[in-house]
Amino acid sequence: MADTLTFDPFDAEQTHAIAAIARRLVEEAPVLRLDSGFVMVSRYEDVKRILLNNIVFANAGGFRPTGLRVPIEDCTIGELDPPEHGPIRRLAMGAAAGPGAVESMRGFARESSRELLDAILARGRGDLVGEFSILLTNRVIAKLLGVPLVKGDWLAEQAEIILTSDIPVTNTANGKFGYKAAFPEFTNFIDDLVRRRMSGDEEKNDAVARIIATAKEAGEAPRETIVRMVLIQLLLGGSATTRDFLGSIFHELILKPELHRAIRDDRSLVPAAVEEGLRLWPPVLFVIRTCAQDAEIGGVPLAKGQRVIAAIAAANRDPSVYSDPDSFRLDRKDPPTHFSFGLGSHFCVGNQLARMESQEALDVFVERVEPGSLRTVPGFALRYMPTPFLFGPVDLPVERVA
């Protein structure tokens, strides 16, 4: 394997092929030393161990190149270690998964899914990513934030610009370092929203208000920059991962009308279909950890400071854990937990929201679209989002079958 595989975790073309080579990674090179100095781990149990043990496998550095230092307000929650991680994670939990927050969005997500999909079907053609999944996820986030829904479409445009830039990896875009400098209109909008809520001028029970209330309950007055950081994660993480996943599963249903028909005929299968899709096409392909002390994985010694890639996309297809691992199966009985939302203390805070949106969007799709009635437009070539650790189609233009 080492003679035939070169892998650069910052080259999207290579990272997007993890699922395609998952079987070889798991069976032939479960702990693979890369020329870049990273070590990639692919077996289910080994990845599970890394995700659960944040003391040995620290999160500092996240998806960044080795040595890049990023200020906390530009970090993701997933690249924070104690003592910062716990309090900031609690703020994010209050925003994305406060009491009743997810279920209160379900009806809105379904109504929005119908509106967006019906507009495409009425025209007979459209982009299931650009005109459906992107707009849906950002409209839900806009409603969570308590901002006018028209802003949801604007936020979708901003999120696409940001996520197709280099800032998720290098923290630099437009020749400037950090979100505030690189995307001033986007961050000014968030800062203004935070200031209005913190001043008490607007009393709303929305994600921003819940972040502030959660901080005050802990006896702290939250810094505006930290609230902005949490909201950026909600906006970008909450929209990107769900839009990517929906694009992947819609593409699969278009390619496989028989799968579409099976779900349409038994809508109780929608939750299982979402979980199976998440297993096969995790929106986050891998995470990177740093050894905080000497360790070993799969009998391979790792020195303190070693950067380790936990290949979620490969672990989710480990044949020792999942039978027929590369197939979309609706009949799996109590399958082991996939790692597409992470595990342990860094389990995705927005997992409930993402699952709800995905279930409603998928249910509306199979309800509204006759199996085999849509196809990708002539000349369509599947392209993936350019961020190396994210996985999902850039677009999915479709048309009615004549």
Side-chain angles (χ1 to χ4, degrees):
M1 171 67 77
D3 295 334
T4 60
L5 176 68
T6 59
F7 187 87
D8 181 351
F10 303 107
D11 180 352
E13 186 174 345
Q14 294 183 51
T15 61
H16 291 157
I18 290 181
I21 60 173
R23 179 69 66 88
R24 290 192 64 201
L25 285 170
V26 168
E27 294 182 348
E28 299 177 31
V31 184
L32 178 64
R33 292 192 181 275
L34 306 175
D35 291 342
S36 60
F38 287 77
V39 168
M40 185 158 67
V41 177
S42 300
R43 282 182 182 157
Y44 185 94
E45 289 300 327
D46 292 339
V47 169
K48 180 178 180 179
R49 179 182 163 200
I50 291 170
L51 295 178
L52 286 175
N53 193 339
N54 298 132
I55 295 175
V56 175
F57 302 101
N59 299 275
F63 297 103
R64 319 288 185 174
T66 302
L68 178 64
R69 297 290 181 264
V70 175
I72 191 168
E73 61 265 25
D74 290 332
C75 287
T76 67
I77 298 172
E79 59 190 327
L80 297 179
D81 285 315
E84 293 86 4
H85 174 253
I88 292 177
R89 178 179 170 81
R90 281 192 291 275
L91 298 184
M93 288 289 291
V102 172
E103 283 307 309
S104 70
M105 293 288 111
R106 187 176 291 277
F108 176 76
R110 187 170 192 83
E111 178 185 348
S112 298
S113 295
R114 284 175 172 163
E115 176 189 339
L116 294 167
L117 182 59
D118 284 353
I120 293 173
L121 297 178
R123 291 194 307 271
R125 61 189 297 122
D127 180 2
L128 289 175
V129 172
E131 296 174 275
F132 185 5
S133 65
I134 290 175
L135 297 182
L136 169 65
T137 55
N138 281 277
R139 287 181 183 184
V140 170
I141 295 296
K143 190 168 179 64
L144 272 176
L145 295 180
V147 302
L149 294 184
V150 67
K151 273 295 182 182
D153 295 353
W154 178 78
L155 288 170
E157 295 173 1
Q158 295 295 304
E160 288 299 291
I161 293 169
I162 292 170
L163 289 167
T164 54
S165 76
D166 290 333
I167 204 163
V169 175
T170 66
N171 204 45
T172 301
N174 305 319
K176 297 178 180 178
F177 189 77
Y179 284 97
K180 186 69 174 175
F183 300 102
E185 185 179 8
F186 175 71
T187 52
N188 286 341
F189 170 77
I190 297 174
D191 288 345
D192 182 60
L193 190 64
V194 172
R195 281 192 291 269
R196 294 202 311 271
R197 296 294 190 277
M198 292 185 74
S199 69
D201 292 342
E202 297 179 343
E203 293 194 14
K204 294 187 176 183
N205 181 25
D206 56 31
V208 188
R210 287 194 294 271
I211 291 173
I212 295 168
T214 301
K216 289 182 177 178
E217 287 171 5
E220 303 172 1
R223 287 161 36 203
E224 291 183 14
T225 52
I226 295 299
V227 180
R228 183 211 302 154
M229 171 216 179
V230 174
L231 291 176
I232 286 176
Q233 296 307 299
L234 179 63
L235 284 160
L236 299 184
S239 62
T241 53
T242 307
R243 60 86 78 193
D244 287 348
F245 168 66
L246 287 174
S248 294
I249 199 165
F250 290 155
H251 186 236
E252 183 77 352
L253 295 185
I254 289 169
L255 293 178
K256 298 179 179 177
E258 70 282 3
L259 177 62
H260 185 163
R261 173 69 66 187
I263 302 170
R264 181 184 173 97
D265 289 347
D266 183 357
R267 304 270 279 283
S268 69
L269 291 172
V270 166
V274 166
E275 296 306 313
E276 182 71 345
L278 284 166
R279 181 187 70 81
L280 287 169
W281 310 297
V284 178
L285 293 167
F286 60 88
V287 296
I288 301 177
R289 300 288 188 252
T290 302
C291 291
Q293 60 192 56
D294 290 348
E296 66 82 25
I297 283 286
V300 176
L302 304 173
K304 180 179 179 180
Q306 173 72 63
R307 304 293 302 281
V308 180
I309 300 168
I312 290 169
N316 279 357
R317 295 176 182 240
D318 188 333
S320 71
V321 177
Y322 300 100
S323 61
D324 195 14
D326 297 324
S327 295
F328 193 111
R329 295 269 299 273
L330 294 171
D331 60 348
R332 297 187 188 276
K333 302 298 183 184
D334 299 320
T337 301
H338 60 71
F339 297 143
S340 298
F341 290 119
L343 199 65
S345 62
H346 281 268
F347 191 67
C348 173
V349 297
N351 76 91
Q352 295 178 50
L353 183 65
R355 283 183 160 111
M356 181 276 289
E357 287 181 81
S358 298
Q359 289 171 9
E360 294 303 321
L362 178 57
D363 195 60
V364 167
F365 185 86
V366 298
E367 171 192 68
R368 291 293 213 254
V369 178
E370 183 69 28
S373 65
L374 290 180
R375 66 185 178 194
T376 54
V377 299
F380 170 72
L382 192 60
R383 298 176 299 135
Y384 296 107
M385 289 294 286
T387 304
F389 54 86
L390 296 180
F391 185 76
V394 170
D395 56 9
L396 189 58
V398 296
E399 63 183 12
R400 283 192 182 276
V401 175

